[in-house]
Amino acid sequence: MIPRKIVQALVTVLFFIFLAFWIYPLLNLTLLSFSTKTYTVEFTLRNYISLLSSPRYLNYLKNSFIVALGSAAIQIPVCLPAGYELARHKSKVIAFANRFFPFSLAIPWTVILVSVLIYYLRIGLYDTLIGLIFHHSAFSAPFVAWIYSTFIRSLPKDIEEAAQLDGCGKARLIFQITLPLIAPGLIGAFVWVFINVWNTFIVAAFLIESEENIVFAQALYNALTYIMSGGMLNFAYAATVIFITPPMILFIIFRKWIEQILIY
């Protein structure tokens, strides 16, 4: 058995490593985002005013919200019936799906982006926000359906059987009875998809080209490229703070529900 003092020492070391590599850079860029000087902290909102008064950056922000909200919202009508079938019906196909859906998270989706790009060029979805939403939705759906199924399995079947005896149809059973009962799972999965899509850069870099459809993650990358060629570092700091704020707020508000989908 490892002595308690050694365990405490390891936890302390890990905590300071966490501070050094995550908290300090975040705090540093937040403080410098309120400055116009590269390495000096001074409180000014000039960088934020420049960003939020720019039609281009407001459009990037709007595109990110459209893609993230669209990808998260489409999961409910698509994945809830799938999750119900995974939880309540037994067959070889369902058993395979229950095993495959969690395993799908281990598949590196980036390896098929070239194929998706070629396919999108053929069907006219390249460089469109709807194409980006479809892609994110398709790759989030297996995990979300699996999460829904774990919550539905925890519900007593008596409620569903009573509703069916009263003449309740399958669609009404799923969306009017089951859906409110697994609300924590729905909220947690919605926020998880939103944060995941919001933070993803590589997919948009492959599938979006025109200035009007660029999402904020791409704009942030472009800002960093501009810095390397002699641009304003503090401007990029402000853009980074704006970029990370929505997912952080959502996580803080819905932390309890996100934890539930992770421990179920």
Side-chain angles (χ1 to χ4, degrees):
M1 185 175 178
I2 302 176
R4 185 175 180 180
K5 290 185 178 180
I6 294 178
V7 173
Q8 290 177 343
L10 288 173
V11 170
T12 302
V13 170
L14 290 173
F15 175 72
F16 280 105
I17 291 174
F18 175 75
L19 287 178
F21 288 94
W22 198 88
I23 297 296
Y24 173 74
L26 181 61
L27 180 62
N28 184 59
L29 74 87
T30 302
L31 291 175
L32 291 177
S33 70
F34 292 99
S35 175
T36 56
K37 299 178 181 179
T38 305
Y39 300 109
T40 305
V41 177
E42 60 173 13
F43 188 82
T44 175
L45 296 175
R46 186 179 302 173
N47 297 318
Y48 290 96
I49 293 172
S50 298
L51 278 166
L52 296 178
S53 62
S54 168
R56 285 194 309 149
Y57 278 92
L58 289 177
N59 184 60
Y60 303 151
L61 200 60
K62 180 196 71 175
N63 291 342
S64 289
F65 273 109
I66 289 173
V67 173
L69 288 171
S71 301
I74 203 172
Q75 303 297 327
I76 295 175
V78 172
C79 296
L80 186 57
Y84 185 86
E85 295 299 318
L86 289 173
R88 294 303 189 216
H89 291 172
K90 294 182 180 180
S91 68
K92 291 183 178 180
V93 175
I94 295 296
F96 172 78
N98 270 315
R99 289 179 175 85
F100 172 77
F101 281 5
F103 174 75
S104 66
L105 294 173
I107 300 174
W109 46 263
T110 52
V111 300
I112 69 165
L113 274 176
V114 175
S115 299
V116 173
L117 171 61
I118 295 171
Y119 181 64
Y120 271 23
L121 284 169
R122 289 176 180 173
I123 64 176
L125 286 178
Y126 176 72
D127 196 23
T128 64
L129 295 182
I130 191 68
L132 204 55
I133 290 172
F134 283 160
H135 180 84
H136 284 302
S137 299
F139 278 88
S140 301
F143 177 73
V144 174
W146 181 66
I147 287 296
Y148 287 171
S149 71
T150 60
F151 277 85
I152 293 171
R153 286 193 194 97
S154 68
L155 300 178
K157 292 184 179 180
D158 298 347
I159 300 174
E160 298 170 18
E161 292 172 353
Q164 288 174 332
L165 288 174
D166 290 337
C168 184
K170 178 64 71 68
R172 186 182 173 191
L173 174 65
I174 294 174
F175 289 100
Q176 290 190 8
I177 296 176
T178 304
L179 187 150
L181 294 174
I182 64 165
L186 293 173
I187 295 171
F190 183 96
V191 175
W192 179 86
V193 174
F194 180 96
I195 292 174
N196 187 52
V197 172
W198 181 275
N199 291 333
T200 301
F201 160 75
I202 189 66
V203 176
F206 264 82
L207 302 181
I208 297 295
E209 180 181 13
S210 64
E211 178 77 12
E212 64 180 6
N213 290 328
I214 285 179
V215 296
F216 205 87
Q218 290 173 278
L220 183 59
Y221 174 79
N222 293 339
L224 293 174
T225 305
Y226 172 68
I227 286 168
M228 292 178 184
S229 61
M232 292 176 57
L233 181 63
N234 303 79
F235 185 83
Y237 283 160
T240 303
V241 172
I242 291 173
F243 178 70
I244 65 177
T245 297
M248 288 186 67
I249 291 174
L250 281 176
F251 183 83
I252 292 170
I253 295 174
F254 299 106
R255 180 180 60 86
K256 180 175 67 175
W257 290 276
I258 296 173
E259 289 176 352
Q260 285 190 26
I261 72 168
L262 294 176
I263 64 176
Y264 243 80

